[in-house]
Amino acid sequence: MADSLFEIGAYKASSVEYEYIYYSYSDNDVKTRALLKKATCYKKLGLFPESLKCLERINVEGLSDSVTYQVLYETALSAFLSNDYGYAELQFIQMKLYVKDSTLINSSQLLYAMTLNEQQKWTEAEKELESYITKSNSSLNDSLTKKIHSLYTGTPKLLNVKKAMRMSSFIPGSGQMYLGYWGDGITNASLQLCSLAFIGYNVLAAQYFTAVTLGTGLLQKFYVGGIHRVKYLGDKKNYERAKKFNEEAKKLIIQISSS
Amino acid sequence: MFPSITKYRLLVFFSILFLRALSQQEHTFSQNKEFVKYLIDNKEYSDALYTIDKSVNQSLNPQQVDTLIYFKGLIFHKLKQFDSSFFYLSKIPYNSGWYYEASYYNVLNKTLLGDYDFALKLTEQIRYDTLLAHHPLKIFEEASLALLQRDYKHFDELLTKMDTVYFPIQIEQNELIKRRKELENRRKKYPAVAGTLSTLVPGLGKVYAGSVGQGIAAFIMVGMLGGITAETYYRSGPKNPEFIIMGSFFTVFYIGNIYGSVFSVKISNDKYNGEVNKILLFNMRIPVSRIFNY
């Protein structure tokens, strides 16, 4: 009944029936298959975190090599689709430890490469893709290897945010300029200069209390605020660069999988 | 003789086939009931609701219908959709096997929706024609509601009726009595005192209200503006625009701090009451779920 509901696309009804199978049987193999199918139903419904939660209930102890692989792969896929890349990578590491049949693992290398890309581990991702191509024995091997190599030679240069923050600590505004945000840098530096001028003016007018409290208060706010802004801008720029590259990589991986 | 035996065998064979096909199509009511219980225990509420809705299509007797309605109300309660839960649980009649469960969960529903008066009325309306073991729960829930409303007179009346033997409510009941004493012994804070203190020393009213950090911050802020105002007054005189600007700032912050101190007492009282109510609400729910196993 669960399978026939699945076949006609009644995924919610089907998922409940698979849960019923899980509830009714004591055999771990049957329970595992029921949860795998229930997780697929959730994936079809676009409920990826629910799918992940469902797969986490599986007890992999005593399962066959192929079923263990399937559980780990589906868990990795659900974690990837839920944007939990660290957890997805963990599944691939477990796969290497627990699944003995290496031919099974080979088929998961593309997803593994995509997971590594999302975590900006581009060197490892390139190695995974090359290894996949080598094992696939496709007639397009050479051209694909070239494409992979040319894509990964152009990995984005991520900016050193800590360096930018250090720069702004010594020369106000310089961190922003290093990141390419010239307007931001000039504005922040000007505001800090104005605060200094305010302090100087009050000292000359012998208004020392005002200079110490209001003047230094303003200067401190602009100084610390500027450094925080550098961190925000740096992280934003790095994220945008990585995202752009990963989109290109995704297109190539899709091309590899269909070859 | 022989053909009739074959006929009989064929009939049995097809009957078995038919029954097997039927069992693959639909689960029985009792199977579904146990399955729904399992789903509720495992917090698979969406699946449980789906199974209930599917079961409604079967031909059921009134007791079975009540069971499904009760489960539906219970699930909505667990999902914190208290108004929907109230809607379903109110349909359970007195002669149903789920009457007490539904009644107590409805008291909780109305309490959690903040309608304490209605919840109290519901508690009073729970009928015990014959005294059941969980009868002391009624007094406990009434007393909890009285304390939520800070109706100490009503609470003290109920205190004399409380059961000291019925185990499932003892821990929470003792906690309730402790809270009653705590509320009585709490020193009341007055907004007027906070306002006066902040007039004398900026921030002191906030310290009185219990917000020491905010009090110190207000003292530094107002003190700093006061210092700058004084300095510009001595250096530039009262007609200087700098003095007028800084003096205005100082006045706004000084008066604002007094107003804030008055309010901070109200906030502090609300915070304390909110924390006490949260504990009372939590303790009201535990015995109900302990007694009725959900």
Side-chain angles (χ1 to χ4, degrees):
Chain A
M1 191 173 175
D3 287 335
S4 50
L5 286 166
F6 186 87
E7 292 300 322
I8 59 165
Y11 300 120
K12 178 64 201 167
S14 168
S15 79
V16 177
E17 288 302 327
Y18 284 123
E19 184 64 47
Y20 192 82
I21 294 169
Y22 177 83
Y23 155 78
S24 309
Y25 288 83
S26 55
D27 181 48
N28 192 34
D29 208 44
V30 179
K31 277 175 174 278
T32 303
R33 283 176 202 285
L35 286 182
L36 276 168
K37 290 292 271 184
K38 189 179 179 186
T40 312
C41 291
Y42 279 136
K43 270 201 284 271
K44 294 268 183 193
L45 290 165
L47 304 167
F48 306 122
E50 281 80 359
S51 167
L52 186 60
K53 218 174 95 187
C54 180
L55 291 161
E56 281 170 342
R57 287 164 60 197
I58 295 175
N59 175 18
V60 287
E61 219 175 276
L63 293 176
S64 69
D65 220 26
S66 61
V67 179
T68 306
Y69 164 77
Q70 206 185 340
V71 171
L72 292 170
Y73 181 82
E74 289 296 327
T75 310
L77 180 61
S78 293
F80 182 87
L81 293 168
S82 306
N83 301 327
D84 191 349
Y85 306 114
Y87 194 64
E89 191 187 357
L90 193 71
Q91 306 311 310
F92 292 110
I93 294 166
Q94 286 192 64
M95 220 180 264
K96 282 179 183 169
L97 285 171
Y98 298 119
V99 180
K100 309 220 167 31
D101 184 356
S102 60
T103 53
L104 289 171
I105 299 173
N106 296 345
S107 54
S108 71
Q109 278 178 304
L110 293 181
L111 182 62
Y112 189 22
M114 278 163 78
T115 308
L116 290 167
N117 274 342
E118 291 296 336
Q119 295 181 96
Q120 293 156 20
K121 295 175 180 175
W122 290 305
T123 321
E124 289 104 309
E126 187 183 4
K127 275 181 195 161
E128 285 297 323
L129 288 177
E130 280 173 352
S131 145
Y132 177 83
I133 298 280
T134 317
K135 288 166 194 163
S136 68
N137 295 325
S138 160
S139 56
L140 299 165
N141 269 7
D142 287 343
S143 72
L144 287 173
T145 311
K146 269 180 199 162
K147 276 186 184 172
I148 290 168
H149 188 67
S150 97
L151 179 77
Y152 281 91
T153 44
T155 49
K157 232 184 146 185
L158 296 183
L159 296 159
N160 188 341
V161 181
K162 278 189 181 166
K163 184 183 166 188
M165 285 167 78
R166 266 199 303 274
M167 284 172 75
S168 265
S169 308
F170 291 107
I171 306 162
S174 62
Q176 286 96 323
M177 290 175 201
Y178 160 74
L179 296 172
Y181 295 94
W182 283 81
D184 245 277
I186 291 165
T187 311
N188 186 257
S190 309
L191 286 168
Q192 291 194 45
L193 274 173
C194 287
S195 303
L196 273 174
F198 181 77
I199 294 169
Y201 165 75
N202 278 289
V203 168
L204 287 175
Q207 297 186 148
Y208 304 115
F209 190 80
T210 310
V212 171
T213 53
L214 196 59
T216 54
L218 278 171
L219 182 67
Q220 189 255 357
K221 285 276 168 203
F222 288 127
Y223 178 77
V224 177
I227 296 168
H228 285 169
R229 177 94 179 136
V230 167
K231 183 168 171 20
Y232 166 75
L233 292 172
D235 288 342
K236 188 183 155 200
K237 195 150 205 170
N238 281 342
Y239 170 77
E240 282 168 356
R241 285 185 180 180
K243 196 182 167 198
K244 197 180 163 195
F245 174 81
N246 288 340
E247 285 303 317
E248 289 299 312
K250 220 179 266 179
K251 279 179 200 163
L252 181 64
I253 291 170
I254 291 166
Q255 198 187 336
I256 294 168
S257 69
S258 55
S259 69
Chain B
M1 189 77 185
F2 183 75
S4 74
I5 289 172
T6 316
K7 247 187 206 173
Y8 175 73
R9 277 183 178 169
L10 272 173
L11 188 72
V12 170
F13 176 72
F14 281 115
S15 301
I16 290 168
L17 264 186
F18 174 72
L19 284 171
R20 279 197 67 181
L22 197 72
S23 70
Q24 277 176 358
Q25 283 300 310
E26 292 290 342
H27 309 301
T28 65
F29 175 80
S30 100
Q31 280 174 330
N32 272 346
K33 185 183 153 189
E34 290 308 312
F35 182 48
V36 169
K37 272 188 188 175
Y38 153 84
L39 291 170
I40 294 172
D41 287 344
N42 288 285
K43 297 186 171 75
E44 298 279 348
Y45 300 129
S46 132
D47 287 4
L49 281 175
Y50 179 85
T51 310
I52 291 169
D53 288 340
K54 209 181 71 180
S55 304
V56 172
N57 300 329
Q58 297 174 337
S59 54
L60 304 169
N61 64 41
Q63 186 60 36
Q64 289 173 331
V65 172
D66 286 348
T67 303
L68 293 182
I69 292 173
Y70 169 69
F71 279 142
K72 206 164 182 177
L74 181 69
I75 291 164
F76 281 121
H77 178 83
K78 303 262 176 196
L79 288 168
K80 294 188 170 60
Q81 293 175 23
F82 303 117
D83 47 353
S84 303
S85 174
F86 181 78
F87 173 78
Y88 287 105
L89 294 178
S90 300
K91 291 180 178 180
I92 307 284
Y94 175 64
N95 58 4
S96 164
W98 300 106
Y99 170 72
Y100 291 104
E101 284 91 331
S103 302
Y104 281 111
Y105 273 108
N106 258 350
V107 169
L108 291 180
N109 283 332
K110 280 291 166 190
T111 309
L112 290 161
L113 284 166
D115 196 346
Y116 300 149
D117 286 330
F118 201 116
L120 194 62
K121 268 183 203 160
L122 288 174
T123 320
E124 285 163 358
Q125 280 168 11
I126 297 173
R127 278 165 61 184
Y128 279 96
D129 288 348
T130 48
L131 286 188
L132 297 166
H134 53 67
H135 176 252
L137 180 65
K138 186 176 169 177
I139 303 292
F140 168 77
E141 296 292 319
E142 263 189 76
S144 300
L145 283 161
L147 210 55
L148 276 169
Q149 291 175 307
R150 304 293 186 266
D151 185 351
Y152 301 126
K153 200 181 153 199
H154 188 197
F155 181 88
D156 293 340
E157 279 168 23
L158 292 164
L159 191 63
T160 56
K161 295 179 196 169
M162 278 182 186
D163 186 288
T164 52
V165 185
Y166 186 52
F167 177 72
I169 60 166
Q170 287 312 309
I171 300 167
E172 288 75 22
Q173 193 168 273
N174 292 338
E175 181 75 20
L176 191 68
I177 297 164
K178 203 176 111 189
R179 292 285 156 205
R180 161 72 179 100
K181 282 179 189 155
E182 203 180 283
L183 283 165
E184 193 180 15
N185 296 335
R186 192 189 178 232
R187 223 182 68 197
K188 210 178 166 190
K189 286 175 180 170
Y190 300 94
V193 175
T196 312
L197 284 171
S198 270
T199 311
L200 297 171
V201 182
L204 197 59
K206 286 190 177 174
V207 175
Y208 164 76
S211 311
V212 182
Q214 278 186 33
I216 294 168
F219 178 78
I220 293 169
M221 190 67 194
V222 177
M224 198 181 84
L225 285 169
I228 295 168
T229 310
E231 193 177 56
T232 47
Y233 176 81
Y234 287 119
R235 294 280 168 206
S236 324
K239 286 179 183 170
N240 189 286
E242 220 176 302
F243 167 74
I244 293 165
I245 292 166
M246 293 319 293
S248 307
F249 269 121
F250 168 69
T251 313
V252 168
F253 274 83
Y254 179 75
I255 295 168
N257 175 55
I258 296 168
Y259 187 69
S261 299
V262 170
F263 245 92
S264 64
V265 169
K266 197 187 169 306
I267 291 165
S268 159
N269 285 337
D270 287 350
K271 195 180 160 194
Y272 176 78
N273 284 326
E275 275 166 14
V276 171
N277 286 356
K278 217 163 128 183
I279 295 165
L280 291 174
L281 287 167
F282 183 70
N283 285 340
M284 268 181 92
R285 296 166 84 167
I286 297 172
V288 175
S289 109
R290 190 182 290 141
I291 292 165
F292 300 115
N293 293 324
Y294 283 108

